[in-house]
Amino acid sequence: MVGVNQRKNSGATAAPVRAKRAGATGPASERRDHLVKLAAELFARKGFQATTVREIADEAGILSGSLYHHFDSKETIVDEVLRTFLEDLIARYRAALADAADARAALSQLVSIGFHTLEPHRAAITVMQNDWNYLRSLPGDRFDYLVRAEDEVERMWMEQIRRGQASGQFRADVDPKLTYRMIRDGIWVAVRWFRPGGRLDTDALADHYIRVLFDGLATGDRTTQPA
């Protein structure tokens, strides 16, 4: 899963996020990208439902009608925000898994990638957390790819956890799905308090999380700790 939400298992086979609209180049494309970024920040700050087309246009310093020259609806804008994030995330995950020597190395890479998305995709991650259920409730299948992406990401993580259990790298007495969800939530919820330019950058944040994940918090022999 790539956001904090609750849903029933769709039962469908996980599939990659479909390709986004082929982008043009030049000033028109740059203007469109600028509008997407402005809208994404508004969605993150106010919520997708509460943000109006007029507010997006005002933020951009244009008339509402001019915004429709680039996008046919507010849903089209948030669609582009989320697709860009998910396609980048999944592509990075796939590349990392292709090169990982073992399960521990794979999980370390997945954790690091997750934390490194907090800056470039902060708005998208916030929207995923706050507006997932609403977007999934909209008529039609426009946002069905959110579930497909969620399923694919979950599969990648759980395969590595099970791989580590089978090889003896990871404890066999922990539930892979629950473990994945706890790791996932620890990463994505950080978007609410992480501030670029603060005491920790994303490298330090990921390194700290990985140390706690694999080395634990308690000292001494784990078997001697009180129940």
Side-chain angles (χ1 to χ4, degrees):
M1 183 150 51
V2 289
V4 177
N5 65 86
Q6 294 181 344
R7 69 173 180 87
K8 295 181 179 178
N9 193 318
S10 65
T13 301
V17 181
R18 71 189 182 194
K20 65 181 178 181
R21 176 191 62 84
T25 58
S29 177
E30 292 176 3
R31 180 59 170 164
R32 180 186 176 92
D33 290 344
H34 177 65
L35 291 172
V36 169
K37 290 177 181 177
L38 288 178
E41 290 300 324
L42 282 174
F43 295 153
R45 186 165 69 246
K46 298 190 61 178
F48 175 75
Q49 296 181 72
T51 302
T52 66
V53 170
R54 179 180 292 277
E55 288 172 326
I56 298 171
D58 288 346
E59 188 78 8
I62 61 176
L63 297 175
S64 297
S66 299
L67 191 65
Y68 286 109
H69 175 71
H70 299 278
F71 308 97
D72 59 7
S73 68
K74 188 173 68 168
E75 287 73 20
T76 298
I77 304 176
V78 77
D79 188 358
E80 191 158 326
V81 171
L82 298 181
R83 282 184 187 277
T84 299
F85 163 56
L86 292 173
E87 289 170 4
D88 182 46
L89 178 72
I90 290 175
R92 289 173 183 269
Y93 276 174
R94 289 172 178 165
L97 294 180
D99 293 336
D102 56 30
R104 176 165 177 155
L107 283 197
S108 295
Q109 284 296 309
L110 295 182
V111 168
S112 181
I113 289 166
F115 279 113
H116 280 89
T117 64
L118 294 181
E119 289 192 54
H121 295 296
R122 183 194 61 79
I125 295 168
T126 303
V127 173
M128 290 281 289
Q129 293 191 47
N130 295 339
D131 294 296
W132 173 284
N133 288 333
Y134 174 73
L135 294 172
R136 288 286 298 116
S137 73
L138 293 175
D141 60 0
R142 179 170 202 155
F143 293 100
D144 283 358
Y145 68 88
L146 295 177
V147 174
R148 294 196 299 272
E150 177 183 51
D151 288 343
E152 181 171 2
V153 168
E154 181 175 289
R155 177 186 57 77
M156 285 191 270
W157 277 84
M158 289 182 58
E159 282 180 354
Q160 296 309 311
I161 294 172
R162 289 179 174 133
R163 176 187 176 192
Q165 289 177 318
S167 68
Q169 281 190 303
F170 301 154
R171 291 169 51 182
D173 62 339
V174 296
D175 180 86
K177 191 165 190 173
L178 179 59
T179 302
Y180 156 66
R181 288 181 172 180
M182 294 177 72
I183 296 172
R184 172 206 67 194
D185 291 353
I187 296 171
W188 298 132
V189 172
V191 77
R192 299 186 182 278
W193 54 263
F194 173 72
R195 293 294 177 267
R199 183 173 64 89
L200 294 175
D201 60 16
T202 51
D203 283 327
L205 197 60
D207 288 345
H208 182 86
Y209 193 96
I210 290 167
R211 284 200 308 273
V212 174
L213 175 64
F214 290 125
D215 300 333
L217 186 63
T219 59
D221 185 351
R222 180 172 59 86
T223 62
T224 65
Q225 299 301 320

